[in-house]
Amino acid sequence: MEYIGNVVQAALSRRGFLVLVGTGLSLPWTSAFSKSVNFTGIRPDTEDRLVVPPGFEHKVLIRWGDPLKNDKPLDWNRIYQNGPTQEDVEAQKHCFGYNCDYVGFLPLSKGGALLVVNHEYTNPELMFADFEPSDRRPTKEEALLMLEAHGISMVELSKHRGEWTYVKGSSYNRRITGSTPCQLSGPAKGHPLMRSSYDPKGEYVLGTLNNCSGGKTPWGTVLSCEENFHSYFWGDDRKVRHPQAGLIREINYRYGVPGDFARAYGFYRHKERFVVEKEPTESLRFGWVVEIDPYDPKRPPVKRTALGRFKHEAATCVVAPDRRVVVYMGDDERFEYVYKFITKGTYNPNNREANMELLDEGELYVARFDEDLTGRWILIARCEKSSGNDYRVIPNPDLPEPFKSDPVLCFINTRTAADILGGTKMDRPEDFEWNPVTKSLWLALTFNERRTRFQTDRANPRAFNSMGHVIEIVEEGQDPSAKSFRWHIPLLCGLPKAKNPAKQLLLYGKPVKGNTPPISAPDNLTFDRHGNVWIATDGNESTSRLGKKDGVYVLNPFTRELKMFLSGVPGCEICGPEFSEDWKTFFCAVQHPGEGGKGGSRTRWPYGDGCEVPRPSVVAVWRRDGRAI
Ligand code: FEO
Ligand code: CA
Ligand code: CA
């Protein structure tokens, strides 16, 4: 296997990992320089088609069921009509998974690239004709196929005549699924709550689940985030027999385990580890950030417990001026928090291996947003290796029992520690990303229609926030390792001409002019080389929002213009916005096309091959004239 090499290091560095910070820089929102977004904006629509601006082309790169090895694709029509067989379950282990979310582009020094894609969840009502949403009882083979359709795919890409295709049979191609062994690492490894009947030492877990968004590390690994893991565990919490049953129940309650959705996946009917009373600690072994090495197919996935346990949306790495690595993370549920982790060690750009355990030691913080547009990072706990495999964990001294006597709980029951320490409860924190041009953080808060008018604050200013908003955060001195920050709200989503002020689109606090498109439910974010903020949405279709399909929007933070770049297909959300290293190709994931219908009733996108059901797919978009986007 090829070593990552200097080419990759240079490419990754260029994307903003090496932050050379000066204190005399002007604030992002006072910067005058700008590059306008050079395309004709489109409008949200409702048709069964994917739309990109005039002068752009798009193609489907890889779809659910496409083979990663040199074998056949899944036989989706037969699977839909007759239900899957055990052979189909085996085949899914080597085919592209369902509901693609995060998309990471990692260049190869030999040319070409690797694409790392998360598979967040499955839609049995679209995959199997006999699945009744009201009954929610998938067959054994349906449940097991869905377990294998979760996780992560890594595929090699090559470029011919300006167009990317995936390389079938590449030795880099690899699936990690809901049953692939993953190592546990960091302070919670070996903790009594991390031990299970199949893993009495608390060292590994079968599978990773609900991999939502993610991020790349400066050393060329990928962080894949376990989000709604509660959706897979079912059973009777009251029947848990365990020396720490009371504590397990408390933690489960805070994280929503068991989760009602578990019945639609049905894993618990066929695998005892998903039954809470049979395997009481298994749910505690999900909800982590998983580090994977796409360049080395033999390296197992590692759950990095120092990054805390919650419903992780994404994880964005930035290198601080002193070369410590900072990881920004959101917990995507209503009234949850944003976090950051600062490594103890420093990034070594000259020795890749020396960085491989950087994420095991450091400090975990939760954010508090204050009414004066400043904010603080509140320490939850610090962890470091003491001797051998042992960790010393020093909790915030304000934390009571049981955190004082068992401080590893700061990492396992992170939400409760953050409650006690007074983090700010946000409107569903999705992506939390560092813009290398503005040197500020952009946080998407997708929506929270359950916030009452008694619960608003300046950072979450709307009661019944159905549209969502975006916050920009500037760390003190633009230093990611700072303990304080300033913030403001550049985007309150909504309709340009809404009569209800709670649904009105405001850019930088002002009503919009001209033909600015409506936008709602901001979710995943990325940035182009000019610092424009690319926003993918998840929820526009709801009648309480736009009643139009989800898409991709571009906000220019200098000219304060908003345009729409891409409109998806019925039922889908758009995820994983990402650029190729030459900025000529834009990638995104079209997740759950057809959701809200049954089988192909809403759409059969991306069509072709006589397929009767929609297939979640990754799309590439480029300029017809071949220039950078
Ligand atoms: Fe999986 Fe928060 O979106
Ligand atoms: Ca998301
Ligand atoms: Ca979402």
Short mmCIF file of all heavy atoms in Angstrom, two decimals, residues 204-255:
data_model
loop_
_atom_site.label_atom_id
_atom_site.label_comp_id
_atom_site.label_asym_id
_atom_site.label_seq_id
_atom_site.Cartn_x
_atom_site.Cartn_y
_atom_site.Cartn_z
N TYR A 204 -13.02 -3.96 22.27
CA TYR A 204 -13.49 -3.82 20.89
C TYR A 204 -15.02 -3.94 20.83
O TYR A 204 -15.65 -4.46 21.74
CB TYR A 204 -12.83 -4.85 19.97
CG TYR A 204 -13.42 -6.24 20.05
CD1 TYR A 204 -14.35 -6.67 19.10
CD2 TYR A 204 -13.08 -7.10 21.07
CE1 TYR A 204 -14.93 -7.93 19.17
CE2 TYR A 204 -13.65 -8.36 21.15
CZ TYR A 204 -14.57 -8.77 20.21
OH TYR A 204 -15.14 -10.01 20.29
N VAL A 205 -15.57 -3.44 19.75
CA VAL A 205 -17.02 -3.44 19.53
C VAL A 205 -17.29 -3.98 18.14
O VAL A 205 -16.55 -3.68 17.20
CB VAL A 205 -17.60 -2.00 19.59
CG1 VAL A 205 -19.12 -2.03 19.57
CG2 VAL A 205 -17.10 -1.25 20.80
N LEU A 206 -18.36 -4.75 18.00
CA LEU A 206 -18.77 -5.18 16.66
C LEU A 206 -19.55 -4.04 16.01
O LEU A 206 -20.66 -3.70 16.43
CB LEU A 206 -19.63 -6.43 16.75
CG LEU A 206 -18.87 -7.71 17.15
CD1 LEU A 206 -19.84 -8.87 17.29
CD2 LEU A 206 -17.78 -8.04 16.14
N GLY A 207 -18.94 -3.42 15.02
CA GLY A 207 -19.65 -2.49 14.17
C GLY A 207 -19.63 -1.03 14.60
O GLY A 207 -19.32 -0.67 15.73
N THR A 208 -19.98 -0.21 13.62
CA THR A 208 -20.21 1.21 13.84
C THR A 208 -21.55 1.51 13.18
O THR A 208 -21.88 0.94 12.13
CB THR A 208 -19.04 2.06 13.30
OG1 THR A 208 -19.36 3.44 13.46
CG2 THR A 208 -18.73 1.78 11.84
N LEU A 209 -22.36 2.37 13.81
CA LEU A 209 -23.73 2.58 13.35
C LEU A 209 -24.09 4.06 13.30
O LEU A 209 -23.57 4.86 14.09
CB LEU A 209 -24.71 1.88 14.30
CG LEU A 209 -24.72 0.34 14.22
CD1 LEU A 209 -25.54 -0.23 15.37
CD2 LEU A 209 -25.26 -0.16 12.88
N ASN A 210 -25.01 4.37 12.38
CA ASN A 210 -25.52 5.73 12.22
C ASN A 210 -24.40 6.73 11.98
O ASN A 210 -24.37 7.82 12.56
CB ASN A 210 -26.39 6.12 13.43
CG ASN A 210 -27.56 6.99 13.00
OD1 ASN A 210 -27.44 8.21 12.96
ND2 ASN A 210 -28.65 6.37 12.60
N ASN A 211 -23.48 6.33 11.10
CA ASN A 211 -22.35 7.20 10.75
C ASN A 211 -22.87 8.35 9.93
O ASN A 211 -23.26 8.19 8.78
CB ASN A 211 -21.31 6.37 9.99
CG ASN A 211 -20.92 5.15 10.80
OD1 ASN A 211 -21.70 4.19 10.87
ND2 ASN A 211 -19.77 5.19 11.41
N CYS A 212 -22.88 9.51 10.54
CA CYS A 212 -23.55 10.67 9.93
C CYS A 212 -22.52 11.46 9.15
O CYS A 212 -22.08 11.05 8.08
CB CYS A 212 -24.22 11.47 11.03
SG CYS A 212 -25.22 12.80 10.39
N SER A 213 -22.08 12.58 9.69
CA SER A 213 -21.04 13.31 8.98
C SER A 213 -19.68 12.92 9.56
O SER A 213 -19.58 11.92 10.29
CB SER A 213 -21.30 14.80 9.05
OG SER A 213 -20.43 15.46 8.17
N GLY A 214 -18.64 13.68 9.27
CA GLY A 214 -17.31 13.29 9.72
C GLY A 214 -16.33 14.40 9.49
O GLY A 214 -16.67 15.58 9.49
N GLY A 215 -15.08 14.02 9.27
CA GLY A 215 -14.04 15.01 9.00
C GLY A 215 -12.73 14.30 8.70
O GLY A 215 -12.61 13.10 8.91
N LYS A 216 -11.78 15.08 8.20
CA LYS A 216 -10.45 14.53 7.90
C LYS A 216 -9.46 15.04 8.92
O LYS A 216 -9.56 16.17 9.36
CB LYS A 216 -10.01 14.96 6.50
CG LYS A 216 -10.77 14.27 5.39
CD LYS A 216 -10.31 14.73 4.03
CE LYS A 216 -11.01 16.00 3.65
NZ LYS A 216 -10.88 16.36 2.23
N THR A 217 -8.48 14.20 9.27
CA THR A 217 -7.42 14.67 10.14
C THR A 217 -6.26 15.16 9.27
O THR A 217 -6.16 14.78 8.10
CB THR A 217 -6.90 13.55 11.06
OG1 THR A 217 -6.23 12.57 10.24
CG2 THR A 217 -8.02 12.88 11.83
N PRO A 218 -5.37 15.99 9.84
CA PRO A 218 -4.23 16.47 9.04
C PRO A 218 -3.30 15.33 8.62
O PRO A 218 -2.51 15.50 7.69
CB PRO A 218 -3.51 17.43 9.98
CG PRO A 218 -4.49 17.75 11.06
CD PRO A 218 -5.42 16.59 11.16
N TRP A 219 -3.37 14.17 9.31
CA TRP A 219 -2.51 13.06 8.95
C TRP A 219 -3.21 12.08 8.00
O TRP A 219 -2.73 10.96 7.78
CB TRP A 219 -1.96 12.35 10.19
CG TRP A 219 -2.98 11.97 11.23
CD1 TRP A 219 -3.59 10.76 11.40
CD2 TRP A 219 -3.48 12.82 12.28
NE1 TRP A 219 -4.45 10.80 12.45
CE2 TRP A 219 -4.41 12.05 13.03
CE3 TRP A 219 -3.27 14.14 12.67
CZ2 TRP A 219 -5.10 12.57 14.13
CZ3 TRP A 219 -3.96 14.65 13.75
CH2 TRP A 219 -4.85 13.88 14.47
N GLY A 220 -4.33 12.50 7.42
CA GLY A 220 -4.94 11.71 6.35
C GLY A 220 -5.75 10.52 6.80
O GLY A 220 -5.93 9.56 6.05
N THR A 221 -6.28 10.55 8.03
CA THR A 221 -7.29 9.58 8.42
C THR A 221 -8.65 10.30 8.37
O THR A 221 -8.70 11.52 8.18
CB THR A 221 -7.05 8.99 9.82
OG1 THR A 221 -7.05 10.06 10.77
CG2 THR A 221 -5.71 8.26 9.87
N VAL A 222 -9.71 9.52 8.55
CA VAL A 222 -11.05 10.11 8.51
C VAL A 222 -11.75 9.83 9.84
O VAL A 222 -11.62 8.74 10.41
CB VAL A 222 -11.85 9.54 7.32
CG1 VAL A 222 -13.33 9.90 7.42
CG2 VAL A 222 -11.28 10.08 6.01
N LEU A 223 -12.46 10.82 10.33
CA LEU A 223 -13.26 10.66 11.54
C LEU A 223 -14.72 10.47 11.11
O LEU A 223 -15.26 11.32 10.40
CB LEU A 223 -13.12 11.89 12.45
CG LEU A 223 -11.68 12.21 12.86
CD1 LEU A 223 -11.64 13.47 13.73
CD2 LEU A 223 -11.02 11.04 13.58
N SER A 224 -15.30 9.36 11.51
CA SER A 224 -16.67 9.03 11.13
C SER A 224 -17.50 9.05 12.40
O SER A 224 -17.13 8.44 13.41
CB SER A 224 -16.67 7.63 10.49
OG SER A 224 -17.98 7.23 10.19
N CYS A 225 -18.63 9.78 12.36
CA CYS A 225 -19.33 10.11 13.60
C CYS A 225 -20.59 9.28 13.80
O CYS A 225 -21.48 9.30 12.94
CB CYS A 225 -19.68 11.59 13.60
SG CYS A 225 -18.21 12.61 13.63
N GLU A 226 -20.67 8.60 14.94
CA GLU A 226 -21.87 7.81 15.27
C GLU A 226 -22.92 8.74 15.87
O GLU A 226 -22.72 9.28 16.96
CB GLU A 226 -21.51 6.71 16.26
CG GLU A 226 -20.55 5.68 15.67
CD GLU A 226 -20.24 4.52 16.61
OE1 GLU A 226 -20.18 4.74 17.83
OE2 GLU A 226 -20.04 3.41 16.11
N GLU A 227 -24.03 8.90 15.16
CA GLU A 227 -25.04 9.88 15.59
C GLU A 227 -26.19 9.19 16.34
O GLU A 227 -26.04 8.90 17.52
CB GLU A 227 -25.53 10.70 14.39
CG GLU A 227 -26.31 11.95 14.81
CD GLU A 227 -26.98 12.66 13.65
OE1 GLU A 227 -27.30 12.00 12.65
OE2 GLU A 227 -27.19 13.88 13.74
N ASN A 228 -27.27 8.87 15.68
CA ASN A 228 -28.46 8.38 16.40
C ASN A 228 -28.38 6.89 16.71
O ASN A 228 -29.21 6.09 16.28
CB ASN A 228 -29.71 8.70 15.59
CG ASN A 228 -29.96 10.20 15.56
OD1 ASN A 228 -30.01 10.85 16.60
ND2 ASN A 228 -30.08 10.75 14.37
N PHE A 229 -27.39 6.53 17.53
CA PHE A 229 -27.13 5.12 17.86
C PHE A 229 -28.25 4.52 18.71
O PHE A 229 -28.42 3.31 18.75
CB PHE A 229 -25.79 4.98 18.60
CG PHE A 229 -25.81 5.68 19.93
CD1 PHE A 229 -26.22 5.01 21.06
CD2 PHE A 229 -25.45 7.01 20.04
CE1 PHE A 229 -26.28 5.65 22.29
CE2 PHE A 229 -25.52 7.67 21.26
CZ PHE A 229 -25.93 6.98 22.38
N HIS A 230 -29.03 5.39 19.38
CA HIS A 230 -30.10 4.87 20.25
C HIS A 230 -31.16 4.13 19.43
O HIS A 230 -31.87 3.29 19.96
CB HIS A 230 -30.77 6.02 21.01
CG HIS A 230 -31.46 6.99 20.11
ND1 HIS A 230 -30.78 7.79 19.21
CD2 HIS A 230 -32.78 7.26 19.93
CE1 HIS A 230 -31.66 8.53 18.54
NE2 HIS A 230 -32.87 8.22 18.95
N SER A 231 -31.20 4.43 18.10
CA SER A 231 -32.25 3.87 17.24
C SER A 231 -32.12 2.37 17.01
O SER A 231 -32.91 1.82 16.25
CB SER A 231 -32.20 4.54 15.86
OG SER A 231 -32.24 5.91 15.96
N TYR A 232 -31.12 1.72 17.57
CA TYR A 232 -30.91 0.30 17.26
C TYR A 232 -31.15 -0.60 18.46
O TYR A 232 -31.14 -1.82 18.33
CB TYR A 232 -29.49 0.09 16.71
CG TYR A 232 -29.26 0.99 15.53
CD1 TYR A 232 -28.63 2.22 15.66
CD2 TYR A 232 -29.77 0.64 14.27
CE1 TYR A 232 -28.49 3.07 14.57
CE2 TYR A 232 -29.63 1.49 13.19
CZ TYR A 232 -28.99 2.70 13.34
OH TYR A 232 -28.87 3.55 12.28
N PHE A 233 -31.33 -0.01 19.67
CA PHE A 233 -31.41 -0.81 20.89
C PHE A 233 -32.84 -0.84 21.39
O PHE A 233 -33.53 0.17 21.41
CB PHE A 233 -30.46 -0.23 21.95
CG PHE A 233 -29.03 -0.33 21.51
CD1 PHE A 233 -28.42 0.70 20.80
CD2 PHE A 233 -28.30 -1.50 21.73
CE1 PHE A 233 -27.12 0.58 20.34
CE2 PHE A 233 -27.00 -1.62 21.28
CZ PHE A 233 -26.41 -0.58 20.58
N TRP A 234 -33.27 -2.04 21.78
CA TRP A 234 -34.66 -2.23 22.20
C TRP A 234 -34.69 -3.17 23.38
O TRP A 234 -33.69 -3.84 23.67
CB TRP A 234 -35.48 -2.76 21.02
CG TRP A 234 -36.96 -2.72 21.24
CD1 TRP A 234 -37.82 -3.79 21.25
CD2 TRP A 234 -37.77 -1.56 21.47
NE1 TRP A 234 -39.10 -3.36 21.45
CE2 TRP A 234 -39.11 -2.00 21.61
CE3 TRP A 234 -37.50 -0.20 21.60
CZ2 TRP A 234 -40.18 -1.13 21.87
CZ3 TRP A 234 -38.55 0.67 21.85
CH2 TRP A 234 -39.87 0.21 21.97
N GLY A 235 -35.82 -3.23 24.06
CA GLY A 235 -35.94 -4.14 25.20
C GLY A 235 -36.49 -3.39 26.40
O GLY A 235 -36.97 -2.27 26.28
N ASP A 236 -36.39 -4.04 27.56
CA ASP A 236 -36.96 -3.48 28.79
C ASP A 236 -35.82 -3.07 29.72
O ASP A 236 -35.20 -3.90 30.37
CB ASP A 236 -37.87 -4.53 29.44
CG ASP A 236 -38.65 -3.93 30.61
OD1 ASP A 236 -38.29 -2.82 31.07
OD2 ASP A 236 -39.60 -4.58 31.06
N ASP A 237 -35.61 -1.76 29.78
CA ASP A 237 -34.55 -1.19 30.59
C ASP A 237 -34.67 -1.60 32.07
O ASP A 237 -33.68 -1.73 32.77
CB ASP A 237 -34.68 0.34 30.48
CG ASP A 237 -33.33 1.02 30.44
OD1 ASP A 237 -32.35 0.36 30.08
OD2 ASP A 237 -33.28 2.22 30.77
N ARG A 238 -35.90 -1.81 32.53
CA ARG A 238 -36.11 -2.13 33.95
C ARG A 238 -35.59 -3.51 34.30
O ARG A 238 -35.37 -3.84 35.45
CB ARG A 238 -37.60 -2.04 34.29
CG ARG A 238 -38.15 -0.62 34.22
CD ARG A 238 -39.66 -0.62 34.18
NE ARG A 238 -40.14 -1.46 33.07
CZ ARG A 238 -41.42 -1.64 32.77
NH1 ARG A 238 -42.34 -1.07 33.50
NH2 ARG A 238 -41.78 -2.40 31.75
N LYS A 239 -35.42 -4.34 33.27
CA LYS A 239 -34.96 -5.71 33.53
C LYS A 239 -33.45 -5.85 33.48
O LYS A 239 -32.93 -6.97 33.52
CB LYS A 239 -35.58 -6.66 32.50
CG LYS A 239 -37.07 -6.85 32.67
CD LYS A 239 -37.54 -7.95 31.71
CE LYS A 239 -39.05 -8.03 31.68
NZ LYS A 239 -39.52 -8.54 30.38
N VAL A 240 -32.73 -4.74 33.33
CA VAL A 240 -31.26 -4.80 33.24
C VAL A 240 -30.70 -5.37 34.55
O VAL A 240 -31.02 -4.88 35.64
CB VAL A 240 -30.68 -3.40 32.95
CG1 VAL A 240 -29.18 -3.38 33.17
CG2 VAL A 240 -31.03 -2.97 31.53
N ARG A 241 -29.90 -6.41 34.45
CA ARG A 241 -29.20 -6.98 35.61
C ARG A 241 -27.71 -6.70 35.40
O ARG A 241 -27.10 -7.26 34.49
CB ARG A 241 -29.43 -8.49 35.71
CG ARG A 241 -30.87 -8.88 35.94
CD ARG A 241 -31.30 -8.68 37.40
NE ARG A 241 -32.75 -8.88 37.53
CZ ARG A 241 -33.66 -7.91 37.40
NH1 ARG A 241 -33.29 -6.67 37.15
NH2 ARG A 241 -34.94 -8.18 37.53
N HIS A 242 -27.16 -5.85 36.25
CA HIS A 242 -25.76 -5.46 36.08
C HIS A 242 -25.37 -4.79 37.39
O HIS A 242 -26.21 -4.11 38.01
CB HIS A 242 -25.64 -4.48 34.90
CG HIS A 242 -24.23 -4.13 34.53
ND1 HIS A 242 -23.50 -3.19 35.21
CD2 HIS A 242 -23.41 -4.60 33.55
CE1 HIS A 242 -22.29 -3.09 34.66
NE2 HIS A 242 -22.21 -3.94 33.65
N PRO A 243 -24.12 -4.93 37.85
CA PRO A 243 -23.72 -4.27 39.11
C PRO A 243 -23.99 -2.77 39.08
O PRO A 243 -24.20 -2.16 40.12
CB PRO A 243 -22.23 -4.56 39.21
CG PRO A 243 -21.99 -5.76 38.34
CD PRO A 243 -23.04 -5.74 37.28
N GLN A 244 -24.00 -2.15 37.89
CA GLN A 244 -24.26 -0.70 37.80
C GLN A 244 -25.55 -0.42 37.03
O GLN A 244 -25.64 0.55 36.27
CB GLN A 244 -23.07 -0.01 37.15
CG GLN A 244 -21.85 0.01 38.07
CD GLN A 244 -20.68 0.72 37.42
OE1 GLN A 244 -20.05 0.16 36.52
NE2 GLN A 244 -20.38 1.91 37.87
N ALA A 245 -26.55 -1.27 37.28
CA ALA A 245 -27.81 -1.16 36.51
C ALA A 245 -28.43 0.22 36.64
O ALA A 245 -28.93 0.78 35.65
CB ALA A 245 -28.80 -2.24 36.97
N GLY A 246 -28.41 0.80 37.85
CA GLY A 246 -29.03 2.11 38.06
C GLY A 246 -28.36 3.18 37.21
O GLY A 246 -29.03 3.99 36.56
N LEU A 247 -27.04 3.15 37.20
CA LEU A 247 -26.28 4.14 36.42
C LEU A 247 -26.53 3.94 34.92
O LEU A 247 -26.71 4.90 34.17
CB LEU A 247 -24.79 4.02 36.74
CG LEU A 247 -23.86 4.95 35.99
CD1 LEU A 247 -24.21 6.42 36.25
CD2 LEU A 247 -22.40 4.69 36.37
N ILE A 248 -26.55 2.68 34.49
CA ILE A 248 -26.81 2.39 33.07
C ILE A 248 -28.17 2.95 32.66
O ILE A 248 -28.32 3.59 31.62
CB ILE A 248 -26.70 0.88 32.78
CG1 ILE A 248 -25.25 0.42 32.93
CG2 ILE A 248 -27.23 0.55 31.38
CD1 ILE A 248 -25.05 -1.08 32.84
N ARG A 249 -29.17 2.74 33.53
CA ARG A 249 -30.51 3.26 33.22
C ARG A 249 -30.51 4.78 33.13
O ARG A 249 -31.13 5.36 32.25
CB ARG A 249 -31.52 2.79 34.27
CG ARG A 249 -32.12 1.43 33.94
CD ARG A 249 -33.36 1.15 34.78
NE ARG A 249 -33.00 0.90 36.17
CZ ARG A 249 -32.71 -0.31 36.65
NH1 ARG A 249 -32.75 -1.37 35.87
NH2 ARG A 249 -32.40 -0.47 37.91
N GLU A 250 -29.79 5.41 34.06
CA GLU A 250 -29.71 6.88 34.04
C GLU A 250 -29.08 7.38 32.74
O GLU A 250 -29.56 8.33 32.12
CB GLU A 250 -28.79 7.37 35.18
CG GLU A 250 -29.51 7.92 36.38
CD GLU A 250 -28.51 8.28 37.46
OE1 GLU A 250 -27.58 9.07 37.19
OE2 GLU A 250 -28.64 7.73 38.57
N ILE A 251 -27.97 6.74 32.36
CA ILE A 251 -27.29 7.17 31.13
C ILE A 251 -28.20 6.91 29.94
O ILE A 251 -28.39 7.77 29.08
CB ILE A 251 -25.93 6.45 30.96
CG1 ILE A 251 -25.01 6.78 32.14
CG2 ILE A 251 -25.28 6.83 29.64
CD1 ILE A 251 -23.69 6.01 32.15
N ASN A 252 -28.80 5.73 29.90
CA ASN A 252 -29.70 5.40 28.79
C ASN A 252 -30.82 6.42 28.66
O ASN A 252 -31.17 6.85 27.55
CB ASN A 252 -30.32 4.01 28.99
CG ASN A 252 -29.37 2.90 28.58
OD1 ASN A 252 -28.32 3.16 27.98
ND2 ASN A 252 -29.72 1.67 28.91
N TYR A 253 -31.37 6.84 29.78
CA TYR A 253 -32.47 7.80 29.75
C TYR A 253 -32.00 9.11 29.11
O TYR A 253 -32.69 9.69 28.27
CB TYR A 253 -32.99 8.04 31.17
CG TYR A 253 -34.16 8.98 31.20
CD1 TYR A 253 -35.42 8.57 30.78
CD2 TYR A 253 -33.99 10.31 31.61
CE1 TYR A 253 -36.49 9.44 30.77
CE2 TYR A 253 -35.06 11.19 31.60
CZ TYR A 253 -36.30 10.75 31.19
OH TYR A 253 -37.36 11.63 31.16
N ARG A 254 -30.80 9.54 29.48
CA ARG A 254 -30.27 10.81 28.95
C ARG A 254 -30.02 10.73 27.45
O ARG A 254 -30.01 11.75 26.76
CB ARG A 254 -28.99 11.17 29.72
CG ARG A 254 -28.38 12.51 29.36
CD ARG A 254 -29.27 13.68 29.68
NE ARG A 254 -28.71 14.95 29.26
CZ ARG A 254 -28.78 15.45 28.03
NH1 ARG A 254 -29.42 14.79 27.09
NH2 ARG A 254 -28.24 16.61 27.72
N TYR A 255 -29.75 9.52 26.93
CA TYR A 255 -29.42 9.36 25.51
C TYR A 255 -30.57 8.76 24.69
O TYR A 255 -30.39 8.49 23.50
CB TYR A 255 -28.16 8.50 25.35
CG TYR A 255 -26.88 9.22 25.75
CD1 TYR A 255 -26.51 9.33 27.09
CD2 TYR A 255 -26.05 9.79 24.80
CE1 TYR A 255 -25.35 9.99 27.47
CE2 TYR A 255 -24.87 10.45 25.16
CZ TYR A 255 -24.54 10.55 26.49
OH TYR A 255 -23.39 11.20 26.87
#
